[in-house]
Structure formats: structure tokens, C-alpha cells
């Protein structure tokens, strides 16, 4: 386990061919709470990838995609989905518009997949950045952990690819 974890932006900037993200939570406490509350009230979300809300993310993703890095995101979700996952599904239009590929997998279809205990990003099939969250979806302490052991990278690669294979493309998944 590495104590000093590089920033996500540095890991993405160093990726040569792939960055994959597996998300397995149904709630994200405290993240983007004002925008989420607005979505709950109005059904309106910021889908403009060039807006100030999105700009830091879109800059990183567009730069990586421009270098030829394939960015894929898979989400395992409980059904019926939570209100936050409904919001996240709405926002995903912006992720896709900047070059991410996103698939969704109902949790009931993931029962026989060996999954790591935490959400993660995997860079170039060898560097794993685990995100640690509490049961309510808030950041835990420590927030992140980086692992580079081949067995950990293989577990994450195999888990992601199994979820990806079973998942439904964002454009076809409805909530």
C-alpha cells in the first residue's frame, strides 16, 4: 500500500492507453449536494460539459482522450435506483459527450462476479486507485489508496471487464 497517493489528475495524465472506473455505490453523501437538491426539486441538471461545473473534469478527460486514452466507466446499481443514481444517470450525458464510455449493470446481475471491496480507477491495467467511502457515501479516512501489485490489478481488471461485458450502454439503460 502506498502512503502518498498521487492526485487523480496526475494518474490520468500519466495514462498511456486506458483508464477505467468501477462504481458500486448507490449514494454519494455530501457530493454536489446543492446541485442534487436542485435536481430533486426541478428535474434540471447542468448537462453542458463546458460549464464551470464541468470544466475541470472535461479538460482532463478531453486531454486524455485526445492522447488516445480509452476511458470507460461501469456502474453497478441497485434497482429500483436511488434518487442520486437517477441524478447521476441524467448527468452521464455530459460524460459521454466528452469521450467517456459508460455502462450500467443492475446489482442483481453481478452476484457471481468477484468484485473488490471498493470503487476504483485502474490506469493502464496496472495502477489501481481505490476510493474509500462510508456506508452513507461520504468520503472515509483515508479517502484513497493506491495499489500496484499485479494480483490486485488483475482482480480489478477481471472485475471491470466482467461488469463491462454484462453492462448496458448508457444510451440504452433507463432509470
Amino acid at each position: 500500500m502506498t502512503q502518498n497517493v498521487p492526485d487523480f489528475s496526475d494518474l490520468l495524465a500519466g495514462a498511456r492507453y486506458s483508464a477505467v472506473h468501477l462504481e458500486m455505490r448507490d449514494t454519494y453523501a455530501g457530493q454536489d449536494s446543492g446541485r442534487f437538491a436542485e435536481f430533486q426539486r426541478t428535474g434540471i441538471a447542468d448537462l453542458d460539459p463546458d460549464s464551470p461545473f464541468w470544466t475541470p473534469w472535461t479538460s482532463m478527460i478531453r486531454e486524455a482522450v485526445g492522447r488516445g486514452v480509452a476511458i470507460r466507466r461501469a456502474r453497478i446499481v441497485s434497482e429500483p435506483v436511488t434518487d442520486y443514481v437517477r441524478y447521476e444517470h441524467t448527468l452521464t450525458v455530459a460524460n459521454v459527450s466528452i469521450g467517456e464510455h459508460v455502462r450500467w449493470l443492475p446489482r442483481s446481475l453481478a452476484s457471481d462476479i468477484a468484485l473488490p471491496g471498493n470503487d476504483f480507477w485502474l490506469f493502464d491495467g496496472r495502477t489501481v486507485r481505490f476510493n474509500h467511502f462510508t456506508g452513507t457515501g461520504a468520503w472515509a479516512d483515508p479517502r484513497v489508496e493506491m495499489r500496484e501489485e499485479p494480483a490486485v490489478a488483475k482482480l480489478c481488471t477481471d472485475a471491470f471487464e466482467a461488469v463491462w461485458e454484462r453492462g448496458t450502454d448508457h444510451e440504452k439503460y433507463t432509470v
Side-chain angles (χ1 to χ4, degrees):
M1 195 177 329
T2 303
Q3 293 291 13
N4 294 323
V5 178
D7 288 336
F8 174 82
S9 59
D10 293 335
L11 290 167
L12 184 60
R16 295 183 323 212
Y17 61 88
S18 71
V20 301
H21 186 31
L22 182 61
E23 296 175 82
M24 300 179 281
R25 295 170 295 127
D26 288 321
T27 188
Y28 296 72
Q31 296 182 10
D32 190 26
S33 58
R35 294 178 193 283
F36 175 49
E38 178 70 17
F39 175 77
Q40 287 183 298
R41 274 193 314 277
T42 66
I44 298 171
D46 181 354
L47 304 179
D48 177 4
D50 296 314
S51 73
F53 169 71
W54 283 100
T55 299
W57 184 253
T58 58
S59 297
M60 284 190 300
I61 299 303
R62 285 176 172 157
E63 191 279 329
V65 169
R67 287 187 288 112
V69 176
I71 300 178
R72 297 183 295 157
R73 180 188 300 259
R75 293 179 170 137
I76 299 173
V77 295
S78 299
E79 291 182 327
V81 300
T82 64
D83 289 341
Y84 196 92
V85 169
R86 187 176 313 285
Y87 170 62
E88 186 176 51
H89 184 270
T90 299
L91 291 177
T92 301
V93 170
N95 296 90
V96 171
S97 76
I98 61 171
E100 288 188 49
H101 301 277
V102 181
R103 289 190 179 172
W104 301 81
L105 182 68
R107 192 171 309 282
S108 62
L109 300 179
S111 296
D112 61 343
I113 298 174
L115 299 167
N118 296 291
D119 292 8
F120 64 84
W121 277 92
L122 174 66
F123 301 92
D124 293 333
R126 61 172 207 262
T127 302
V128 181
R129 184 182 193 260
F130 287 109
N131 295 326
H132 295 188
F133 296 96
T134 67
T136 62
W139 285 104
D141 185 25
R143 286 181 172 215
V144 296
E145 168 189 2
M146 192 165 103
R147 304 285 295 267
E148 293 184 304
E149 301 94 328
V152 174
K154 182 176 180 352
L155 169 68
C156 292
T157 297
D158 292 349
F160 182 86
E161 294 303 334
V163 170
W164 188 258
E165 181 178 312
R166 291 184 190 178
T168 301
D169 285 333
H170 174 71
E171 294 80 9
K172 296 178 182 173
Y173 184 75
T174 57
V175 296

